[in-house]
Amino acid sequence: MGFKKILVAIDKSPLASVVFEQSLESAQKEGASLMLFHCINSDDLSQLTFLTEAEAETEQAQAWLRPYCQKAKDGGIPTECVCDVGQPGPAICSLAESWGANLIILGRKDDSGLAKMLLGSVSNHVVHNAPCSVLVIKNEDQSSQQPPNKTLQAYIY
């Protein structure tokens, strides 16, 4: 099965460039189009100034996405860029369904701890709720930062 529509969910973490480069490679191999998506987590915005902050964050995110979008287009890949405010996991799954994505590519932060175990992670939500295949990129440097005696992973795939 070929992937013709690839949704790329990226945030402003150092892993974003790795996720983007993987999406470029996949799109070139498959002859696919890309949709680059950044979701501003609504939990990070205060209730009192939600609209003002959301508008400012959206403008910043669009400016941040432009070079990625342009690089893909310069490589001959049909590309769209979208920013939204909401809960990232559900927003990614919803956009994938409405756009008809065949594949979602996103990164996995190696956030550990009680909060992530109880609340889950964006990648975990997407893996379990996506309407299509999902490729999760883990930063290779993260595994070397873990203590050598760690035996329990907080993520379930």
Side-chain angles (χ1 to χ4, degrees):
M1 166 168 70
F3 299 114
K4 297 301 176 194
K5 295 179 96 178
I6 302 173
L7 175 60
V8 185
I10 56 177
D11 60 11
K12 294 182 180 180
S13 73
L15 192 54
S17 61
V18 176
V19 171
F20 176 72
E21 291 301 326
Q22 178 63 54
S23 69
L24 280 182
E25 183 179 317
S26 297
Q28 289 169 339
K29 284 181 183 177
E30 298 288 335
S33 59
L34 295 177
M35 179 173 288
L36 305 179
F37 178 63
H38 177 73
C39 186
I40 300 159
N41 192 332
S42 57
D43 289 344
D44 296 340
L45 301 175
S46 72
Q47 297 297 338
L48 297 176
T49 58
F50 180 78
L51 291 177
T52 305
E53 285 185 43
E55 290 171 3
E57 286 284 331
T58 301
E59 288 177 19
Q60 288 176 356
Q62 288 170 339
W64 173 77
L65 275 178
R66 272 189 213 108
Y68 287 112
C69 212
Q70 192 59 51
K71 182 175 180 180
K73 287 178 180 179
D74 289 348
I77 299 169
T79 306
E80 300 174 57
C81 292
V82 176
C83 296
D84 199 3
V85 176
Q87 296 295 314
I92 292 166
C93 292
S94 177
L95 181 57
E97 186 169 2
S98 66
W99 187 58
N102 308 107
L103 176 66
I104 298 170
I105 301 177
L106 74 162
R108 182 189 127 197
K109 297 178 189 174
D110 199 18
D111 295 335
S112 56
L114 186 59
K116 286 296 177 187
M117 279 181 23
L118 295 175
L119 300 175
S121 66
V122 172
S123 59
N124 189 46
H125 179 89
V126 172
V127 164
H128 288 96
N129 295 285
C132 59
S133 298
V134 179
L135 173 61
V136 179
I137 309 293
K138 181 180 177 188
N139 189 346
E140 293 177 10
D141 292 339
Q142 290 173 338
S143 59
S144 64
Q145 294 172 359
Q146 295 179 7
N149 61 355
K150 184 172 183 177
T151 57
L152 178 64
Q153 285 277 347
Y155 298 95
I156 301 170
Y157 291 96

